[in-house]
Amino acid sequence: MNKPLYGMAGLLLMAGVLTGCNLSEAQNSAAESLASVKVETLGELVPAISRRFVGRVDAVSSVDLSFQVGGRLTELPVQQGRLLPKGSLLAALDARDYQLALEQAQIQQQQTLRDLNRKRSLLDNNSVSRAVVEEAQDQFRLAQLRVESAQRNLSYTRITAPSDVLITRRLADRFVNLQPGTPVVRVQDVTEFRVHISVPEDLVRRVSSPELVKAELLLPGGEDQRMLLEYREHATEPDQVVQTYQVTFGFERPKDLNLLPGMTATVLVTAAPQLRGADQLDVPVAALNSAADGSFYLWVFDPQTSEVRQRSVRVGVMGGERVQLLSGVQAGEQVITAGTSRLREGMRVRPFSHF
């Protein structure tokens, strides 16, 4: 009668052993999954930072061109969306009145020149005073100025492309009478393209130094199609809402790609590693942990034992995604910068360089 009981007890004991083995295996598997952490050596090169930003392509400038004189618009040989080289005719007024004014000024100039030469001859014979000759000289100079003004007004009857321009919009129609300053055509300077991105404060210091950063434009069609960008300028005042700074890059207008101002583009910014000295130790903000009393601590990794130890630290100024360390650690020590939430004192971990 006892054999069935012994048999039942044996089965329960075996089930408990198997359950304990399964729990132990699960715990070991969980421990192994927590054993990988990200480690950074203090005082060494901070790894290169690569970030992607959505930027907006823009022209160097966008202006509305107008005539400096009034008249009837007779020529407007432009099409919206067309790219025209420097010096191309964009618009022209009826120039006949200005041509007549120039001819009249030239005739008056010739008359005053003849009068001046005649009075100079009389002065040589002492027939007129020097004051009469000087007045003739003034009249000749005034006639010259009228000719120059008429020539300038005649040149103002034509608008030519000041550079390689993209015709954005026609703002007037042919055969209408225009007043001086009336916009006729809107153009964009596309001698090169610009792309604007907004970057956080921890990166704007590097972006403004071309030797510390490399910016690339990712062209549509694949990750392997990239165009190197050149730094142009950056805003010194942050956006009031998101606290980012606008940085502008320039690049040559692609010949085989229909890229237009106003389009969005992806910009890959890779910041070069920077050397941080022993007196300028800092760590990513994610590496800091807060104690119950409000103090901060780090997890320090011992490469000889592969164990981690908790270390209290005093922090300084926070700049972007990194915070300065004032005391508690030394240059050359290794700290855990990611995977700290489930660490415990003396835990063995396996470091790796990147995710």
Side-chain angles (χ1 to χ4, degrees):
M1 295 295 295
N2 293 334
K3 289 183 179 180
L5 293 176
Y6 290 148
M8 182 65 69
L11 290 174
L12 292 175
L13 179 60
M14 183 176 296
V17 172
L18 292 176
T19 302
C21 292
N22 292 334
L23 289 175
S24 178
E25 291 177 357
Q27 292 174 351
N28 291 336
S29 176
E32 290 178 359
S33 65
L34 294 175
S36 295
V37 293
K38 188 176 181 180
V39 175
E40 180 178 312
T41 303
L42 298 177
E44 289 188 348
L45 285 175
V46 176
I49 302 175
S50 293
R51 300 184 187 177
R52 296 190 179 203
F53 299 90
V54 177
R56 179 175 55 85
V57 178
D58 204 352
V60 176
S61 61
S62 179
V63 295
D64 293 344
L65 300 180
S66 60
F67 293 101
Q68 298 188 46
V69 295
R72 189 166 64 98
L73 182 62
T74 57
E75 296 184 61
L76 192 62
V78 294
Q79 293 181 344
Q80 296 178 161
R82 291 290 301 274
L83 181 66
L84 298 178
K86 180 179 179 180
S88 300
L89 178 66
L90 304 181
L93 297 175
D94 186 352
R96 287 177 293 182
D97 292 342
Y98 295 99
Q99 183 65 42
L100 292 175
L102 175 60
E103 293 177 0
Q104 181 180 0
Q106 290 173 339
I107 292 174
Q108 291 176 351
Q109 181 187 26
Q110 294 173 0
Q111 290 176 344
T112 56
L113 178 58
R114 288 195 299 267
D115 183 62
L116 175 60
N117 292 332
R118 181 175 59 84
K119 290 180 178 179
R120 282 175 176 173
S121 300
L122 294 176
L123 178 62
D124 294 339
N125 299 327
N126 295 323
S127 300
V128 294
S129 65
R130 183 171 296 277
V132 174
V133 176
E134 291 176 351
E135 182 180 358
Q137 289 177 338
D138 293 340
Q139 292 299 323
F140 174 69
R141 179 56 183 160
L142 289 175
Q144 285 182 318
L145 294 177
R146 284 191 289 268
V147 170
E148 293 176 3
S149 178
Q151 289 175 338
R152 185 170 60 251
N153 289 338
L154 180 60
S155 66
Y156 288 159
T157 61
R158 297 171 63 88
I159 297 178
T160 58
S163 61
D164 293 346
V165 296
L166 180 67
I167 306 300
T168 303
R169 183 176 299 177
R170 292 189 302 270
L171 303 175
D173 295 323
R174 291 180 59 192
F175 308 120
V176 298
N177 290 319
L178 301 177
Q179 295 296 323
T182 302
V184 177
V185 60
R186 181 173 299 162
V187 300
Q188 293 177 321
D189 183 356
V190 291
T191 51
E192 73 168 10
F193 275 164
R194 302 285 175 86
V195 58
H196 311 287
I197 62 174
S198 297
V199 303
E201 62 181 40
D202 66 315
L203 190 57
V204 71
R205 291 187 292 268
R206 301 192 191 185
V207 169
S208 59
S209 301
E211 69 277 4
L212 297 179
V213 71
K214 181 177 72 172
E216 296 174 296
L217 180 69
L218 302 184
L219 300 177
E223 292 288 328
D224 55 339
Q225 298 185 14
R226 301 181 180 183
M227 180 175 293
L228 189 64
L229 302 177
E230 296 182 3
Y231 167 79
R232 289 294 179 261
E233 60 182 5
H234 71 280
T236 58
E237 294 183 357
D239 185 274
Q240 296 182 356
V241 178
V242 295
Q243 292 297 305
T244 57
Y245 295 82
Q246 179 175 284
V247 180
T248 302
F249 296 95
F251 62 99
E252 185 179 357
R253 180 175 55 85
K255 306 296 184 182
D256 54 349
L257 183 63
N258 188 23
L259 196 62
L260 298 175
M263 291 183 174
T264 58
T266 301
V267 177
L268 178 64
V269 177
T270 304
Q274 285 188 321
L275 182 63
R276 307 220 179 240
D279 58 341
Q280 296 180 344
L281 301 181
D282 61 4
V283 293
V285 177
L288 279 180
N289 299 273
S290 179
D293 58 357
S295 61
F296 296 98
Y297 66 89
L298 296 172
W299 288 102
V300 180
F301 174 71
D302 186 349
Q304 295 183 352
T305 62
S306 298
E307 295 179 348
V308 295
R309 301 293 177 183
Q310 184 174 318
R311 182 85 60 82
S312 298
V313 293
R314 189 163 61 94
V315 301
V317 179
M318 181 179 298
E321 298 180 357
R322 301 186 70 86
V323 61
Q324 184 181 9
L325 300 177
L326 301 179
S327 64
V329 289
Q330 298 179 354
E333 290 188 301
Q334 297 181 353
V335 297
I336 310 301
T337 60
T340 64
S341 59
R342 300 179 68 177
L343 295 178
R344 62 180 183 274
E345 188 73 14
M347 182 177 178
R348 294 175 62 85
V349 297
R350 181 175 64 250
F352 66 104
S353 58
H354 60 278
F355 287 104

